[in-house]
Amino acid sequence: MELVGAWSRRLAERLTPHEIDFAAEVGAAYAEGGERRRRLFTTGDGGETGGFASGAGIGELPAILDALRAAADHLHTFLADGMIGNTLAVYALIESRRSGRTPSLERTAATGGPSSPAQMNPDQGRLLDQVIAVLTERLIAHGLSRERAEQQTYRLLETVFEPGNTPEEIQALLAALLATSPALPLPEHRLGGPSRSWMLPPWLWFYLIAYLLVGVPGLIGDWIRQATDYRTLITNSPMGVARTAGIVLGVASIAQLFPALILLGAMASLLLPGFRGRRVERRHDLRVSDNPVIEEMAAFVRRQDPSVEIRFSESNRMTARVYPVGWKQARIAVFLPLTVLWRADPEAAEAVLLHEIAHRRQRDHHVVGLASPFTWLVRVWGPIFVVVGLLPITLYVTLGGAAGRLLTGQLLVHAAVVPRMLLLPVVALWLAELGADRLAVRQCGADALIRALALERTLPGGRLRRVSRVLTHPPAALRRKVAGGRFCGLTGLAVAWPATFVVRLVLVSALALPAFMLTGEDIGAAIAHVFQSIVKGLAFDRLLLGGSTVLLVVWPWIVRTRHAGDRNSQFAPYALAAVLPLALYMTSFI
């Protein structure tokens, strides 16, 4: 701590002379970590960490120390690889970077540097550029303007490597910093500006939690009762019509268990983020790249969320996708098309990255993104359900089975499983994507996102793949219209989730009515039976309906409470949307 305190005073003399009186104490507090470090970045008025919020005024030195700690690994590598003969050569290289010049032959020779620019180790310059990028972006993230951050970055490096400092002294400073706690995680509310009003309610997480608590046990219970009936029909019936029909229905009923697997797949994504991350990187050959384009993207991403890293692949299959590598860490896989877009249309490329960063911010990157079991199961459930659930009954009826009329009714009952079980997770996924789009629109504008969506249409992929993609991503036309403010803006997005319950009821009832009539009921009895089924279904969904009502009411309040400066969160759209699930919840008690 004493060493860090002494260096803090030296840094303050050069960078922040007005903070020199307590520079040693600040350095010692930062090195100690824990509560002492946290107090350096905590303001009394609830402002942003880093001391640059209005009225905070704690100075720049804590942020400079935090930036130096964040770059300590890079600097340690810079020194440990034996790339420098003395600090004079590094000082000359730093000055050349600052002025945008290549060191001249006479200057580098005079300072003991490489005998000519051609003989300079390119890795030396590349590592220094990485250090400069980390320091600059870190200071920007703490609240400094870009001009001020760049100025302080070069002053910091010049102070560390100024003539008279030996590599051993610098190594001692870096070792002392590396022995302390890692650099602070930057405040997440930087994403999308000073508030979270761009975020929609977390419907994907809400759906997963609610259905894991209620839906899966109920689904398995219903299937067990149904399977027991079919087993009784098979075992108690002689060979013939009833037994054959029971076998067909028993096979078809297996497909109804698949939604439970979808939810269990989501749980697998949450429990094994590290394994999933390694699998993604092996499958797509993702790796670290020192290409200038990737480094520029990484710098942009660090400004938004320093916990997110970039990995690159030459594949043309996608533009970019986020994936988890731990509970709190995520990476963005950048593919070749995005590197082309970065040069051709930087704003559109930034919109793509912001969309992926938003998934990380919403925490749904654990459920969606690359190698997600949840999204894969949602996509394959349709074909599996057709083959296992509908095809056996369809073949039986087509081939003229004796119980064809009754099984046609069962075919409609099985078909109703599709809207009943698939609509909610699909809409939850769509809203997660549209919510991520909102961050891109907020920072880059709707036109940039629309141009980025145009790139998606040019990527390779068969028709079947595009159709299956609709189960996890909204159609590009819908995303463009929502980005442009169509569909009543925020009100339309707020109403979308509760409206899904109504659409689901309508579709299920439309299939249930002819199904009941095919079993021999008259129109009046079939309609009464459908209404009974509606009330029963609403009773089953009470947790979802009640929870949706509460979340819609409290969501804008949560945003405003957690971010006192936010006046953009709107109560009216959410309050209006809450009326619908509340009405359905009350109907379930009829």
Side-chain angles (χ1 to χ4, degrees):
M1 288 190 292
E2 292 181 2
L3 179 61
V4 176
W7 271 93
S8 295
R9 185 173 179 82
R10 294 176 62 181
L11 294 173
E13 288 176 354
R14 180 73 180 273
L15 281 73
T16 57
H18 54 286
E19 299 180 54
I20 194 169
D21 292 326
F22 288 93
E25 288 82 352
V26 170
Y30 185 88
E32 182 175 324
E35 182 63 21
R36 285 194 70 190
R37 181 188 289 188
R38 190 185 67 80
R39 284 199 295 265
L40 293 174
F41 295 87
T42 302
T43 59
D45 61 355
E48 293 185 10
T49 59
F52 304 101
S54 176
I58 67 169
E60 296 179 2
L61 186 57
I64 290 169
L65 291 172
D66 197 54
L68 185 58
R69 174 63 182 87
D73 284 320
H74 297 284
L75 283 169
H76 178 73
T77 302
F78 185 77
L79 293 171
D81 284 351
M83 294 179 180
I84 64 172
N86 55 55
T87 55
L88 290 174
V90 181
Y91 192 88
L93 187 58
I94 292 169
E95 287 193 320
S96 73
R97 288 293 192 271
R98 186 175 194 175
S99 62
R101 301 190 306 266
T102 300
S104 67
L105 174 61
E106 294 79 13
R107 181 170 193 132
T108 54
T111 57
S115 59
S116 72
Q119 293 178 355
M120 293 175 61
N121 189 333
D123 290 338
Q124 185 179 13
R126 187 177 300 117
L127 268 174
L128 183 59
D129 289 339
Q130 290 177 357
V131 171
I132 292 171
V134 170
L135 291 172
T136 304
E137 303 305 333
R138 189 82 180 178
L139 291 175
I140 291 172
H142 270 300
L144 278 71
S145 67
R146 174 166 289 279
E147 181 181 2
R148 178 68 172 172
E150 291 175 352
Q151 181 186 58
Q152 294 293 62
T153 291
Y154 285 106
R155 285 179 175 176
L156 172 59
L157 290 173
E158 288 168 352
T159 303
V160 171
F161 289 98
E162 68 183 350
N165 294 340
T166 66
E168 290 74 21
E169 288 176 311
I170 301 170
Q171 283 281 30
L173 168 63
L174 297 177
L177 285 172
L178 290 171
T180 68
S181 305
L184 293 177
L186 294 177
E188 291 182 350
H189 54 259
R190 280 190 51 77
L191 298 174
S195 75
R196 296 184 182 180
S197 61
W198 59 270
M199 289 180 64
L200 299 177
W203 294 123
L204 184 57
W205 285 104
F206 174 78
Y207 165 79
L208 292 175
I209 294 171
Y211 252 86
L212 282 171
L213 293 176
V214 177
V216 171
L219 183 68
I220 294 176
D222 288 344
W223 181 83
I224 291 174
R225 287 190 293 271
Q226 190 180 71
T228 301
D229 293 340
Y230 293 154
R231 183 173 180 274
T232 302
L233 180 63
I234 295 170
T235 55
N236 295 339
S237 300
M239 292 296 295
V241 173
R243 189 168 187 179
T244 303
I247 293 172
V248 172
L249 290 173
V251 171
S253 69
I254 296 174
Q256 297 187 41
L257 280 177
F258 206 77
L261 294 179
I262 293 177
L263 295 169
L264 294 176
M267 289 299 298
S269 294
L270 301 178
L271 297 176
L272 301 170
F275 172 79
R276 176 180 165 189
R278 291 189 296 272
R279 178 172 176 268
V280 165
E281 292 175 355
R282 286 195 304 268
R283 178 181 177 186
H284 296 279
D285 191 25
L286 294 166
R287 60 191 182 278
V288 177
S289 173
D290 57 7
N291 186 286
V293 174
I294 301 300
E295 291 181 352
E296 290 172 18
M297 290 183 184
F300 173 79
V301 169
R302 279 196 301 270
R303 289 199 299 272
Q304 306 298 323
D305 189 340
S307 70
V308 180
E309 298 176 335
I310 294 287
R311 293 295 183 267
F312 173 67
S313 172
E314 294 92 351
S315 171
N316 281 301
R317 294 180 60 188
M318 291 171 271
T319 52
R321 293 290 185 275
V322 68
Y323 61 97
V325 291
W327 292 107
K328 296 182 179 180
Q329 296 82 36
R331 289 174 183 161
I332 296 177
V334 169
F335 298 89
L336 196 58
L338 188 62
T339 65
V340 177
L341 186 65
W342 185 263
R343 289 292 184 236
D345 190 344
E347 285 190 349
E350 288 179 359
V352 173
L353 292 174
L354 284 168
H355 175 93
E356 301 304 323
I357 290 170
H359 280 307
R360 151 73 181 88
R361 175 64 190 84
Q362 295 171 157
R363 298 291 196 275
D364 54 31
H365 67 293
H366 286 286
V367 183
V368 299
L370 283 176
S372 164
F374 179 76
T375 55
W376 181 80
L377 288 168
V378 168
R379 287 180 177 179
V380 303
W381 184 65
I384 290 176
F385 182 78
V386 170
V387 172
V388 179
L390 301 183
L391 188 59
I393 300 177
T394 303
L395 290 175
Y396 181 88
V397 173
T398 303
L399 295 175
R405 178 184 174 87
L406 292 176
L407 261 69
T408 300
Q410 286 297 316
L411 179 65
L412 294 174
V413 171
H414 280 266
V417 173
V418 176
R420 185 165 62 89
M421 299 305 303
L422 206 57
L423 267 181
L424 286 178
V426 167
V427 171
L429 288 167
W430 282 21
L431 290 174
E433 295 296 328
L434 294 173
D437 283 348
R438 280 171 62 82
L439 176 60
V441 170
R442 178 167 180 163
Q443 293 198 198
C444 296
D447 290 341
L449 178 65
I450 291 171
R451 295 196 302 273
L453 290 172
L455 177 63
E456 292 281 347
R457 296 200 302 269
T458 67
L459 297 177
R463 182 174 300 177
L464 182 61
R465 182 179 181 84
R466 290 193 178 94
V467 170
S468 67
R469 179 181 168 82
V470 173
L471 293 174
T472 56
H473 287 73
L478 175 62
R479 294 175 67 181
R480 290 194 297 270
K481 291 178 180 178
V482 171
R486 303 280 293 276
F487 302 111
C488 302
L490 180 59
T491 301
L493 291 173
V495 172
W497 175 257
T500 306
F501 289 94
V502 177
V503 173
R504 189 176 67 157
L505 283 176
V506 171
L507 292 176
V508 171
S509 300
L511 293 169
L513 182 60
F516 287 131
M517 295 179 65
L518 287 169
T519 61
E521 295 183 0
D522 58 45
I523 182 66
I527 292 175
H529 206 161
V530 167
F531 276 109
Q532 292 175 2
S533 299
I534 290 174
V535 175
K536 182 179 178 181
L538 291 175
F540 182 81
D541 287 338
R542 276 177 191 159
L543 177 62
L544 282 168
L545 294 169
S548 298
T549 303
V550 172
L551 185 55
L552 284 166
V553 171
V554 305
W555 181 250
W557 177 81
I558 290 173
V559 171
R560 289 196 174 194
T561 301
R562 297 185 69 176
H563 304 279
D566 180 21
R567 294 295 178 264
N568 296 317
S569 55
Q570 303 176 40
F571 284 94
Y574 292 108
L576 179 64
V579 172
L580 191 53
L582 178 61
L584 294 175
Y585 180 81
M586 299 302 295
T587 304
S588 70
F589 291 97
I590 295 178

